[in-house]
Amino acid sequence: MKRIESNIVNLAFVITNQPTKDTKGRQMKTQGVELNQAIVNGQSTGVSLRTMNGATKSTAIKLDEQSLRDLLEAVNEVLKAGSN
């Protein structure tokens, strides 16, 4: 018999807009993204991204490490352009 014990950690980051109201004063749906990562025995086994619109979530999109680096670069560029 072989016993295998795994240390599994699931990280979830939920990034949403600040609550806002429409022109008639009604509360608008919360919008944002959710980033999830599974770590097994200290190694990342995958990262997924999904959009959120109120209670509705999109299908998870699996991202590899290079895609995450490209996303980080794009976000940094957008933030840099917005601060000029």
Side-chain angles (χ1 to χ4, degrees):
M1 174 171 53
K2 182 178 180 181
R3 180 175 184 211
I4 299 172
E5 189 173 319
S6 296
N7 180 13
I8 301 171
V9 176
N10 292 306
L11 296 175
F13 298 93
V14 178
I15 302 111
T16 59
N17 289 336
Q18 292 294 321
T20 59
K21 295 184 178 183
D22 66 11
T23 56
K24 295 183 179 180
R26 298 175 296 202
Q27 192 71 28
M28 294 184 67
K29 292 180 181 179
T30 301
Q31 297 177 329
V33 295
E34 181 180 283
L35 186 66
N36 293 292
Q37 180 181 31
I39 301 171
V40 178
N41 296 327
Q43 298 292 316
S44 176
T45 59
V47 176
S48 64
L49 178 78
R50 65 176 70 212
T51 59
M52 303 178 337
N53 186 15
T56 305
K57 293 183 182 180
S58 68
T59 301
I61 301 165
K62 303 294 182 188
L63 299 173
D64 61 14
E65 184 177 345
Q66 186 57 52
S67 296
L68 287 170
R69 292 185 187 283
D70 292 344
L71 178 61
L72 177 61
E73 184 179 341
V75 169
N76 283 330
E77 188 172 325
V78 168
L79 290 173
K80 183 179 177 184
S83 65
N84 290 334

